[in-house]
Structures are given as C-alpha cells and as structure tokens.
Amino acid sequence: MIIEICANGFESARIAQEAGAHRIELCIDLSVGGLTPSYELIHKVKEELAIETHVLIRPRSGNFCYSEEELNGMISDIIYCKQLGCAGVVSGVLTSDNELDITATKRLISAAQDMEFTFHRAIDIAKAPRQALREMILMGVTRVLSSGQEAKAIDGIELLKTFLKDVDTSFQIMPGGGITSSNVLTFKEVGFNMVHLSAIKKNMHASQDLFNSDVQGVSDAAEIQRVIQLLSN
C-alpha cells in the first residue's frame, strides 16, 4: 500500500523519506489546507532528497475559483516543477458554483504534460463529485485525493468506496484527511491501495508562542513507521 505524506516543509519531507514513506505532497501552511511552497523549498527538496515529490499548486487559501492571473501563476509553478524533475503536481479548479472547471483544469494538466496530476480535495466541496470524477478521468487526471466530502476520510468512507467502484484500475482514488495509525487499516480492508496523511507532531516549545496560536508541527517518524508496519502485515 502506497503511503503519501503531506510534508509541510523540508524537515517533514526529510522525515518522510527516512521513515520509509513512498512519496510526499510538498506544501506549506497546512493550517489553511496547504499552499504552494516556495521555489527555494522545492529546489532544496529535489536537490537534497530522493523521495518521490509531488508539489501542491494552490496559490492562496479560500475557494478554488481562480482568476486568469492566478491561473497563469499556477501554470508557471507547474512548469517550474517539471523543469526540476518533480514526479507530479497536486491541483484543481472549481467554478464559482463549486462545479468542476473543466477548461481551467485542462490548462493545468496540459502544463504538467507527462507529470502525474492529482486533483486535490477541492472535490470535497464539488456539487456533483461523481460526475466530476468522470470528467477527471476523461481529462487525464492520474488520481483524486478526497475525504469523501467529510472533514475526515473515515467519516466519508462510504462515498470514497463509491468512487472506487466508479473507476477502473487505471485511475487512483487516494483517501486523505484525518488518517492516522488508529484508522488506516480500515482503508486497506475496503480495497484502497494508497493513503495520504500528514502524521503531524506538534512542535511546541517551553515558552508560549504569543503570535501564533496554531503552531505548525512536523511529520512524526514514529507515526509514519507505525502506519507502514500496520499496512505491511
């Protein structure tokens, strides 16, 4: 079973590699659902680590309906990732009515060319997710990352199982959202062959952080290894 770690910085990416994860989704600012990392961070990860790297392409928090200027910036980011040899990108676009924006998403896929393209959890607020899934398959999306339109994938598992039945083996459904060593086996047992998790361990210091109540943590090697061990049995 493939284990993808949502790595919110170089340290998390390094930990994911050393703990034995198969790949990472590189991003920053998990407190807002993740944003595109800096070029410097992408370059450092590609230069110093060997783990398969997919980069989140999301220029801002909020909705997934982007302006022409934002889309052009996203395309530039995708091209940069391709030039560095990243394995894939993670992105997607919705309309202002929360329907799949086919035209805009096709532009991103075109920029990605032969890189893998994961459509991210924007599908979890799409009005017609099963129809969106069918459109993604036709567009050439590699996989979809979803929590089944719930905050946690374990609560959305029935829709995720429906997704799994809707696609053939050439298209990948990757559950993500609140997955931990305490529930990951459930996803294996119902037929999924990959999962996405952050395995975040809060990095709190003795002195209270007066300027940020949501202190970012880093991925926990022990938790990643627990997940790997459970899934290998």
Side-chain angles (χ1 to χ4, degrees), residues 159-217:
L159 180 57
L160 289 170
K161 286 160 61 177
T162 300
F163 286 170
L164 203 57
K165 293 176 184 177
D166 284 344
V167 303
D168 61 29
T169 54
S170 66
F171 190 89
Q172 301 166 9
I173 306 296
M174 181 167 60
I179 295 179
T180 68
S181 56
S182 67
N183 59 28
V184 70
L185 275 178
T186 301
F187 298 93
K188 181 180 181 179
E189 289 165 356
V190 299
F192 293 99
N193 60 17
M194 60 183 64
V195 288
H196 170 100
L197 62 152
S198 64
I200 285 292
K201 179 179 181 180
K202 291 299 183 182
N203 187 19
M204 298 296 291
H205 300 285
S207 59
Q208 185 177 2
D209 185 344
L210 301 177
F211 304 102
N212 182 6
S213 60
D214 185 18
V215 177
Q216 291 280 5

Short mmCIF file of all heavy atoms in Angstrom, two decimals, residues 159-217:
data_model
loop_
_atom_site.label_atom_id
_atom_site.label_comp_id
_atom_site.label_asym_id
_atom_site.label_seq_id
_atom_site.Cartn_x
_atom_site.Cartn_y
_atom_site.Cartn_z
N LEU A 159 -18.72 7.29 0.57
CA LEU A 159 -18.58 7.94 -0.73
C LEU A 159 -17.26 7.54 -1.39
O LEU A 159 -17.19 7.32 -2.60
CB LEU A 159 -18.65 9.46 -0.58
CG LEU A 159 -18.51 10.27 -1.89
CD1 LEU A 159 -19.56 9.84 -2.91
CD2 LEU A 159 -18.61 11.77 -1.61
N LEU A 160 -16.20 7.43 -0.60
CA LEU A 160 -14.91 7.00 -1.14
C LEU A 160 -15.01 5.61 -1.75
O LEU A 160 -14.44 5.33 -2.81
CB LEU A 160 -13.85 7.03 -0.05
CG LEU A 160 -13.42 8.43 0.42
CD1 LEU A 160 -12.55 8.32 1.67
CD2 LEU A 160 -12.65 9.15 -0.68
N LYS A 161 -15.74 4.71 -1.10
CA LYS A 161 -15.94 3.37 -1.64
C LYS A 161 -16.74 3.43 -2.94
O LYS A 161 -16.47 2.66 -3.87
CB LYS A 161 -16.65 2.49 -0.60
CG LYS A 161 -15.74 2.06 0.54
CD LYS A 161 -16.52 1.63 1.77
CE LYS A 161 -17.41 0.45 1.53
NZ LYS A 161 -18.09 0.02 2.79
N THR A 162 -17.68 4.35 -3.03
CA THR A 162 -18.42 4.54 -4.27
C THR A 162 -17.50 5.02 -5.37
O THR A 162 -17.57 4.55 -6.52
CB THR A 162 -19.57 5.55 -4.06
OG1 THR A 162 -20.46 5.05 -3.06
CG2 THR A 162 -20.36 5.78 -5.34
N PHE A 163 -16.63 5.98 -5.05
CA PHE A 163 -15.62 6.44 -6.01
C PHE A 163 -14.82 5.25 -6.54
O PHE A 163 -14.56 5.14 -7.74
CB PHE A 163 -14.65 7.44 -5.37
CG PHE A 163 -15.20 8.82 -5.12
CD1 PHE A 163 -14.47 9.72 -4.35
CD2 PHE A 163 -16.41 9.22 -5.64
CE1 PHE A 163 -14.94 11.00 -4.12
CE2 PHE A 163 -16.91 10.50 -5.40
CZ PHE A 163 -16.16 11.40 -4.64
N LEU A 164 -14.41 4.39 -5.63
CA LEU A 164 -13.57 3.25 -6.00
C LEU A 164 -14.31 2.34 -6.99
O LEU A 164 -13.70 1.82 -7.94
CB LEU A 164 -13.19 2.48 -4.74
CG LEU A 164 -11.94 1.60 -4.79
CD1 LEU A 164 -10.70 2.41 -5.17
CD2 LEU A 164 -11.72 0.92 -3.44
N LYS A 165 -15.61 2.18 -6.79
CA LYS A 165 -16.41 1.36 -7.70
C LYS A 165 -16.64 2.04 -9.05
O LYS A 165 -16.87 1.36 -10.06
CB LYS A 165 -17.76 1.04 -7.05
CG LYS A 165 -17.66 0.13 -5.83
CD LYS A 165 -19.02 -0.06 -5.18
CE LYS A 165 -18.91 -0.90 -3.92
NZ LYS A 165 -20.22 -1.03 -3.22
N ASP A 166 -16.57 3.38 -9.07
CA ASP A 166 -16.84 4.14 -10.28
C ASP A 166 -15.67 4.13 -11.27
O ASP A 166 -15.84 4.55 -12.42
CB ASP A 166 -17.17 5.60 -9.94
CG ASP A 166 -18.56 5.79 -9.37
OD1 ASP A 166 -19.38 4.87 -9.50
OD2 ASP A 166 -18.83 6.86 -8.80
N VAL A 167 -14.50 3.74 -10.84
CA VAL A 167 -13.31 3.84 -11.69
C VAL A 167 -12.68 2.47 -11.91
O VAL A 167 -12.93 1.53 -11.16
CB VAL A 167 -12.26 4.79 -11.06
CG1 VAL A 167 -12.86 6.16 -10.80
CG2 VAL A 167 -11.68 4.22 -9.77
N ASP A 168 -11.87 2.38 -12.98
CA ASP A 168 -11.12 1.15 -13.19
C ASP A 168 -9.73 1.30 -12.57
O ASP A 168 -9.40 2.33 -11.99
CB ASP A 168 -11.05 0.76 -14.67
CG ASP A 168 -10.35 1.81 -15.53
OD1 ASP A 168 -9.46 2.52 -15.01
OD2 ASP A 168 -10.69 1.93 -16.72
N THR A 169 -8.91 0.29 -12.73
CA THR A 169 -7.63 0.28 -12.03
C THR A 169 -6.63 1.28 -12.59
O THR A 169 -5.59 1.53 -11.97
CB THR A 169 -7.00 -1.12 -12.09
OG1 THR A 169 -6.92 -1.54 -13.47
CG2 THR A 169 -7.84 -2.13 -11.32
N SER A 170 -6.93 1.90 -13.73
CA SER A 170 -6.02 2.89 -14.30
C SER A 170 -6.14 4.26 -13.62
O SER A 170 -5.29 5.13 -13.80
CB SER A 170 -6.26 3.05 -15.80
OG SER A 170 -7.55 3.60 -16.04
N PHE A 171 -7.19 4.43 -12.82
CA PHE A 171 -7.41 5.70 -12.11
C PHE A 171 -7.35 5.43 -10.61
O PHE A 171 -7.91 4.45 -10.14
CB PHE A 171 -8.76 6.31 -12.49
CG PHE A 171 -8.95 7.72 -11.99
CD1 PHE A 171 -8.55 8.80 -12.75
CD2 PHE A 171 -9.51 7.96 -10.74
CE1 PHE A 171 -8.71 10.10 -12.30
CE2 PHE A 171 -9.68 9.25 -10.27
CZ PHE A 171 -9.27 10.32 -11.06
N GLN A 172 -6.68 6.31 -9.88
CA GLN A 172 -6.41 6.06 -8.47
C GLN A 172 -7.26 6.95 -7.56
O GLN A 172 -7.35 8.16 -7.77
CB GLN A 172 -4.93 6.32 -8.18
CG GLN A 172 -4.01 5.45 -9.02
CD GLN A 172 -2.57 5.92 -9.00
OE1 GLN A 172 -2.20 6.81 -8.23
NE2 GLN A 172 -1.73 5.33 -9.83
N ILE A 173 -7.84 6.33 -6.56
CA ILE A 173 -8.57 7.05 -5.50
C ILE A 173 -7.71 7.00 -4.24
O ILE A 173 -7.40 5.92 -3.74
CB ILE A 173 -9.95 6.42 -5.21
CG1 ILE A 173 -10.78 6.30 -6.49
CG2 ILE A 173 -10.68 7.24 -4.14
CD1 ILE A 173 -11.14 7.62 -7.13
N MET A 174 -7.31 8.17 -3.76
CA MET A 174 -6.43 8.23 -2.58
C MET A 174 -7.16 8.93 -1.43
O MET A 174 -7.35 10.15 -1.44
CB MET A 174 -5.14 8.99 -2.92
CG MET A 174 -4.17 9.08 -1.76
SD MET A 174 -2.51 9.64 -2.25
CE MET A 174 -2.88 11.28 -2.95
N PRO A 175 -7.59 8.18 -0.42
CA PRO A 175 -8.21 8.79 0.75
C PRO A 175 -7.21 9.66 1.50
O PRO A 175 -6.03 9.32 1.64
CB PRO A 175 -8.65 7.60 1.60
CG PRO A 175 -8.70 6.44 0.65
CD PRO A 175 -7.62 6.71 -0.34
N GLY A 176 -7.67 10.79 2.01
CA GLY A 176 -6.84 11.67 2.82
C GLY A 176 -7.71 12.57 3.67
O GLY A 176 -8.81 12.95 3.27
N GLY A 177 -7.22 12.91 4.85
CA GLY A 177 -7.97 13.75 5.78
C GLY A 177 -8.19 13.02 7.08
O GLY A 177 -9.04 12.13 7.15
N GLY A 178 -7.37 13.32 8.09
CA GLY A 178 -7.55 12.71 9.39
C GLY A 178 -7.15 11.25 9.47
O GLY A 178 -7.57 10.53 10.39
N ILE A 179 -6.34 10.78 8.52
CA ILE A 179 -5.91 9.38 8.56
C ILE A 179 -4.71 9.25 9.49
O ILE A 179 -3.75 10.02 9.40
CB ILE A 179 -5.57 8.87 7.15
CG1 ILE A 179 -6.85 8.85 6.30
CG2 ILE A 179 -4.95 7.47 7.22
CD1 ILE A 179 -6.63 8.38 4.88
N THR A 180 -4.78 8.27 10.39
CA THR A 180 -3.72 8.02 11.37
C THR A 180 -3.53 6.51 11.52
O THR A 180 -4.27 5.72 10.92
CB THR A 180 -4.07 8.61 12.75
OG1 THR A 180 -5.17 7.86 13.30
CG2 THR A 180 -4.47 10.08 12.66
N SER A 181 -2.58 6.15 12.35
CA SER A 181 -2.36 4.73 12.61
C SER A 181 -3.57 4.07 13.28
O SER A 181 -3.71 2.85 13.24
CB SER A 181 -1.11 4.54 13.48
OG SER A 181 -1.22 5.27 14.69
N SER A 182 -4.45 4.87 13.86
CA SER A 182 -5.62 4.31 14.54
C SER A 182 -6.74 3.92 13.59
O SER A 182 -7.64 3.16 13.97
CB SER A 182 -6.15 5.30 15.58
OG SER A 182 -6.67 6.45 14.94
N ASN A 183 -6.72 4.43 12.37
CA ASN A 183 -7.82 4.10 11.44
C ASN A 183 -7.37 3.66 10.06
O ASN A 183 -8.19 3.32 9.21
CB ASN A 183 -8.80 5.27 11.33
CG ASN A 183 -8.14 6.56 10.82
OD1 ASN A 183 -7.16 6.52 10.09
ND2 ASN A 183 -8.71 7.70 11.20
N VAL A 184 -6.06 3.67 9.79
CA VAL A 184 -5.58 3.42 8.43
C VAL A 184 -5.93 2.03 7.92
O VAL A 184 -6.17 1.84 6.71
CB VAL A 184 -4.06 3.69 8.34
CG1 VAL A 184 -3.27 2.61 9.09
CG2 VAL A 184 -3.61 3.78 6.89
N LEU A 185 -5.98 1.04 8.80
CA LEU A 185 -6.28 -0.32 8.35
C LEU A 185 -7.66 -0.43 7.72
O LEU A 185 -7.87 -1.26 6.83
CB LEU A 185 -6.16 -1.30 9.53
CG LEU A 185 -4.76 -1.83 9.82
CD1 LEU A 185 -4.77 -2.75 11.03
CD2 LEU A 185 -4.19 -2.56 8.60
N THR A 186 -8.58 0.41 8.16
CA THR A 186 -9.93 0.38 7.59
C THR A 186 -9.89 0.62 6.09
O THR A 186 -10.63 -0.01 5.32
CB THR A 186 -10.82 1.44 8.26
OG1 THR A 186 -10.86 1.18 9.66
CG2 THR A 186 -12.23 1.41 7.70
N PHE A 187 -9.01 1.52 5.65
CA PHE A 187 -8.93 1.84 4.23
C PHE A 187 -8.33 0.70 3.42
O PHE A 187 -8.75 0.43 2.29
CB PHE A 187 -8.15 3.14 4.05
CG PHE A 187 -8.81 4.31 4.69
CD1 PHE A 187 -8.49 4.69 6.00
CD2 PHE A 187 -9.80 5.02 4.04
CE1 PHE A 187 -9.13 5.75 6.62
CE2 PHE A 187 -10.45 6.08 4.65
CZ PHE A 187 -10.11 6.45 5.94
N LYS A 188 -7.38 0.01 4.01
CA LYS A 188 -6.82 -1.16 3.34
C LYS A 188 -7.86 -2.26 3.24
O LYS A 188 -7.99 -2.92 2.19
CB LYS A 188 -5.59 -1.66 4.11
CG LYS A 188 -4.92 -2.86 3.47
CD LYS A 188 -3.71 -3.33 4.25
CE LYS A 188 -3.04 -4.54 3.58
NZ LYS A 188 -1.84 -4.99 4.32
N GLU A 189 -8.60 -2.46 4.30
CA GLU A 189 -9.57 -3.56 4.35
C GLU A 189 -10.69 -3.41 3.33
O GLU A 189 -11.24 -4.41 2.87
CB GLU A 189 -10.16 -3.66 5.76
CG GLU A 189 -9.16 -4.18 6.80
CD GLU A 189 -9.59 -3.94 8.22
OE1 GLU A 189 -10.66 -3.30 8.43
OE2 GLU A 189 -8.87 -4.39 9.14
N VAL A 190 -11.04 -2.17 2.96
CA VAL A 190 -12.12 -1.99 2.00
C VAL A 190 -11.62 -1.83 0.57
O VAL A 190 -12.41 -1.59 -0.34
CB VAL A 190 -13.02 -0.79 2.38
CG1 VAL A 190 -13.67 -1.03 3.73
CG2 VAL A 190 -12.25 0.52 2.37
N GLY A 191 -10.31 -1.97 0.36
CA GLY A 191 -9.82 -2.06 -1.00
C GLY A 191 -8.96 -0.93 -1.54
O GLY A 191 -8.55 -0.97 -2.71
N PHE A 192 -8.64 0.07 -0.73
CA PHE A 192 -7.77 1.15 -1.21
C PHE A 192 -6.31 0.69 -1.19
O PHE A 192 -5.91 -0.08 -0.31
CB PHE A 192 -7.95 2.40 -0.35
CG PHE A 192 -9.30 3.02 -0.48
CD1 PHE A 192 -10.29 2.78 0.47
CD2 PHE A 192 -9.62 3.81 -1.57
CE1 PHE A 192 -11.56 3.33 0.34
CE2 PHE A 192 -10.89 4.36 -1.71
CZ PHE A 192 -11.86 4.11 -0.76
N ASN A 193 -5.53 1.18 -2.16
CA ASN A 193 -4.12 0.79 -2.21
C ASN A 193 -3.18 1.95 -1.99
O ASN A 193 -1.98 1.82 -2.21
CB ASN A 193 -3.80 0.08 -3.53
CG ASN A 193 -4.07 0.95 -4.74
OD1 ASN A 193 -4.21 2.17 -4.63
ND2 ASN A 193 -4.15 0.34 -5.90
N MET A 194 -3.72 3.09 -1.53
CA MET A 194 -2.87 4.22 -1.16
C MET A 194 -3.62 5.11 -0.18
O MET A 194 -4.86 5.17 -0.21
CB MET A 194 -2.41 5.02 -2.38
CG MET A 194 -3.50 5.61 -3.22
SD MET A 194 -2.82 6.45 -4.69
CE MET A 194 -2.07 5.08 -5.55
N VAL A 195 -2.87 5.80 0.68
CA VAL A 195 -3.45 6.75 1.63
C VAL A 195 -2.55 7.97 1.72
O VAL A 195 -1.36 7.92 1.41
CB VAL A 195 -3.65 6.15 3.04
CG1 VAL A 195 -4.78 5.15 3.06
CG2 VAL A 195 -2.35 5.53 3.54
N HIS A 196 -3.14 9.07 2.17
CA HIS A 196 -2.45 10.35 2.29
C HIS A 196 -2.63 10.85 3.72
O HIS A 196 -3.76 10.91 4.23
CB HIS A 196 -3.09 11.33 1.29
CG HIS A 196 -2.67 12.76 1.43
ND1 HIS A 196 -1.73 13.34 0.62
CD2 HIS A 196 -3.11 13.74 2.26
CE1 HIS A 196 -1.60 14.62 0.95
NE2 HIS A 196 -2.42 14.88 1.94
N LEU A 197 -1.53 11.17 4.38
CA LEU A 197 -1.62 11.68 5.75
C LEU A 197 -0.45 12.60 6.03
O LEU A 197 0.58 12.55 5.35
CB LEU A 197 -1.63 10.53 6.77
CG LEU A 197 -0.40 9.61 6.83
CD1 LEU A 197 -0.25 9.03 8.24
CD2 LEU A 197 -0.52 8.46 5.83
N SER A 198 -0.62 13.45 7.04
CA SER A 198 0.45 14.37 7.41
C SER A 198 1.31 13.82 8.55
O SER A 198 2.48 14.16 8.66
CB SER A 198 -0.11 15.73 7.82
OG SER A 198 -0.90 15.61 9.00
N ALA A 199 0.72 12.97 9.39
CA ALA A 199 1.43 12.41 10.56
C ALA A 199 2.09 13.52 11.38
O ALA A 199 3.19 13.36 11.90
CB ALA A 199 2.48 11.38 10.11
N ILE A 200 1.42 14.65 11.49
CA ILE A 200 1.99 15.82 12.16
C ILE A 200 2.13 15.60 13.67
O ILE A 200 1.22 15.13 14.34
CB ILE A 200 1.13 17.07 11.90
CG1 ILE A 200 1.34 17.56 10.47
CG2 ILE A 200 1.46 18.18 12.88
CD1 ILE A 200 2.71 18.13 10.18
N LYS A 201 3.30 15.97 14.15
CA LYS A 201 3.54 16.02 15.59
C LYS A 201 3.77 17.48 15.95
O LYS A 201 4.65 18.13 15.40
CB LYS A 201 4.78 15.20 15.95
CG LYS A 201 5.14 15.20 17.42
CD LYS A 201 6.37 14.34 17.67
CE LYS A 201 6.73 14.30 19.14
NZ LYS A 201 7.93 13.45 19.38
N LYS A 202 2.95 18.01 16.82
CA LYS A 202 3.06 19.42 17.18
C LYS A 202 4.43 19.73 17.76
O LYS A 202 4.93 19.02 18.63
CB LYS A 202 1.97 19.82 18.17
CG LYS A 202 0.58 19.82 17.57
CD LYS A 202 0.43 20.80 16.43
CE LYS A 202 -0.98 20.85 15.90
NZ LYS A 202 -1.12 21.77 14.76
N ASN A 203 5.02 20.80 17.28
CA ASN A 203 6.38 21.19 17.68
C ASN A 203 6.29 22.38 18.64
O ASN A 203 6.60 23.51 18.29
CB ASN A 203 7.19 21.54 16.43
CG ASN A 203 8.64 21.80 16.75
OD1 ASN A 203 9.13 21.40 17.80
ND2 ASN A 203 9.33 22.47 15.85
N MET A 204 5.84 22.10 19.86
CA MET A 204 5.65 23.16 20.84
C MET A 204 6.93 23.33 21.67
O MET A 204 7.62 22.38 22.00
CB MET A 204 4.49 22.81 21.78
CG MET A 204 3.16 22.67 21.08
SD MET A 204 2.58 24.21 20.32
CE MET A 204 2.21 25.16 21.79
N HIS A 205 7.22 24.56 22.01
CA HIS A 205 8.39 24.87 22.82
C HIS A 205 7.94 25.23 24.24
O HIS A 205 6.77 25.44 24.51
CB HIS A 205 9.17 26.03 22.20
CG HIS A 205 9.65 25.71 20.81
ND1 HIS A 205 10.70 24.87 20.56
CD2 HIS A 205 9.19 26.12 19.60
CE1 HIS A 205 10.89 24.77 19.25
NE2 HIS A 205 9.99 25.52 18.65
N ALA A 206 8.90 25.32 25.12
CA ALA A 206 8.57 25.60 26.52
C ALA A 206 7.89 26.95 26.67
O ALA A 206 6.97 27.12 27.45
CB ALA A 206 9.85 25.55 27.36
N SER A 207 8.34 27.94 25.93
CA SER A 207 7.71 29.26 26.01
C SER A 207 6.53 29.33 25.06
O SER A 207 6.58 28.80 23.96
CB SER A 207 8.73 30.35 25.63
OG SER A 207 9.21 30.15 24.33
N GLN A 208 5.46 29.95 25.49
CA GLN A 208 4.25 30.03 24.67
C GLN A 208 4.49 30.94 23.48
O GLN A 208 5.12 31.98 23.57
CB GLN A 208 3.09 30.57 25.51
CG GLN A 208 1.75 30.58 24.77
CD GLN A 208 0.64 31.06 25.65
OE1 GLN A 208 0.87 31.43 26.79
NE2 GLN A 208 -0.58 31.07 25.13
N ASP A 209 3.96 30.50 22.32
CA ASP A 209 4.04 31.32 21.11
C ASP A 209 2.95 32.39 21.19
O ASP A 209 1.77 32.09 21.06
CB ASP A 209 3.86 30.44 19.86
CG ASP A 209 4.05 31.22 18.58
OD1 ASP A 209 4.01 32.46 18.61
OD2 ASP A 209 4.23 30.57 17.54
N LEU A 210 3.33 33.64 21.42
CA LEU A 210 2.35 34.72 21.61
C LEU A 210 1.75 35.22 20.31
O LEU A 210 0.74 35.92 20.32
CB LEU A 210 3.02 35.89 22.35
CG LEU A 210 3.60 35.57 23.72
CD1 LEU A 210 4.29 36.82 24.28
CD2 LEU A 210 2.52 35.07 24.67
N PHE A 211 2.36 34.86 19.17
CA PHE A 211 1.95 35.45 17.90
C PHE A 211 1.22 34.47 16.98
O PHE A 211 0.71 34.86 15.94
CB PHE A 211 3.17 36.00 17.17
CG PHE A 211 3.93 37.00 18.00
CD1 PHE A 211 5.10 36.63 18.64
CD2 PHE A 211 3.45 38.29 18.18
CE1 PHE A 211 5.79 37.54 19.43
CE2 PHE A 211 4.13 39.20 18.97
CZ PHE A 211 5.30 38.82 19.60
N ASN A 212 1.17 33.21 17.36
CA ASN A 212 0.54 32.22 16.51
C ASN A 212 -0.03 31.11 17.37
O ASN A 212 0.71 30.29 17.89
CB ASN A 212 1.56 31.66 15.50
CG ASN A 212 0.94 30.66 14.54
OD1 ASN A 212 -0.27 30.46 14.54
ND2 ASN A 212 1.78 30.03 13.75
N SER A 213 -1.34 31.06 17.48
CA SER A 213 -1.98 30.06 18.32
C SER A 213 -2.01 28.70 17.65
O SER A 213 -2.23 27.69 18.30
CB SER A 213 -3.42 30.51 18.66
OG SER A 213 -4.18 30.67 17.47
N ASP A 214 -1.81 28.65 16.33
CA ASP A 214 -1.82 27.39 15.60
C ASP A 214 -0.39 27.06 15.20
O ASP A 214 0.02 27.24 14.07
CB ASP A 214 -2.73 27.49 14.37
CG ASP A 214 -2.86 26.15 13.65
OD1 ASP A 214 -2.56 25.12 14.26
OD2 ASP A 214 -3.25 26.15 12.48
N VAL A 215 0.39 26.58 16.14
CA VAL A 215 1.80 26.32 15.90
C VAL A 215 1.95 25.14 14.94
O VAL A 215 1.40 24.08 15.17
CB VAL A 215 2.54 26.03 17.22
CG1 VAL A 215 4.00 25.69 16.95
CG2 VAL A 215 2.44 27.23 18.14
N GLN A 216 2.70 25.37 13.86
CA GLN A 216 2.92 24.30 12.89
C GLN A 216 3.84 23.25 13.49
O GLN A 216 4.76 23.55 14.23
CB GLN A 216 3.54 24.87 11.62
CG GLN A 216 2.62 25.76 10.82
CD GLN A 216 1.64 24.98 9.96
OE1 GLN A 216 1.58 23.76 10.01
NE2 GLN A 216 0.88 25.69 9.17
N GLY A 217 3.58 22.00 13.16
CA GLY A 217 4.44 20.92 13.59
C GLY A 217 5.14 20.30 12.40
O GLY A 217 5.09 20.81 11.29
#
